[in-house]
Amino acid sequence: IALSGDDLPDVPVTQDEAVAAATAAVPGDVVEVELERENGVVGYEVEIRTGDGSVFEVNVDPETGEVLGQGPDDDVPGEPDDDGPDDDD
């Protein structure tokens, strides 16, 4: 597990439980699991590669194990970045 941020609290939901909840919501292979603090809120972020090669991010509550949200991962390594300037000029 990769921890992000300082002073992350102990949480009742384990990494394995967070992965189980995430993969129940989005079946596939786990790419990465992080317990992180984002905007003052601590949560698990589970990245899952689905059968078609897409990568989804699933957010899991570390207190309850509930899936809080899911969606395509914007930060997939090795994929083109559309946010940079064009080199056509």
Side-chain angles (χ1 to χ4, degrees), residues 13-45:
V13 174
T14 67
Q15 177 182 349
D16 288 342
E17 292 167 333
V19 165
T23 55
V26 179
D29 296 322
V30 174
V31 175
E32 183 177 16
V33 181
E34 292 182 296
L35 178 62
E36 64 182 7
R37 182 185 311 270
E38 195 169 299
N39 300 323
V41 178
V42 175
Y44 283 104
E45 182 178 285

Side-chain angles (χ1 to χ4, degrees), residues 26-28 48-56 79:
V26 179
I48 299 171
R49 186 174 309 276
T50 63
D52 68 1
S54 300
V55 177
F56 281 80
E79 288 194 0

Side-chain angles (χ1 to χ4, degrees), residues 49-76:
R49 186 174 309 276
T50 63
D52 68 1
S54 300
V55 177
F56 281 80
E57 181 178 292
V58 181
N59 297 306
V60 179
D61 186 319
E63 297 291 324
T64 65
E66 177 184 356
V67 172
L68 300 175
Q70 64 192 45
D73 186 15
D74 300 342
D75 245 4
V76 179

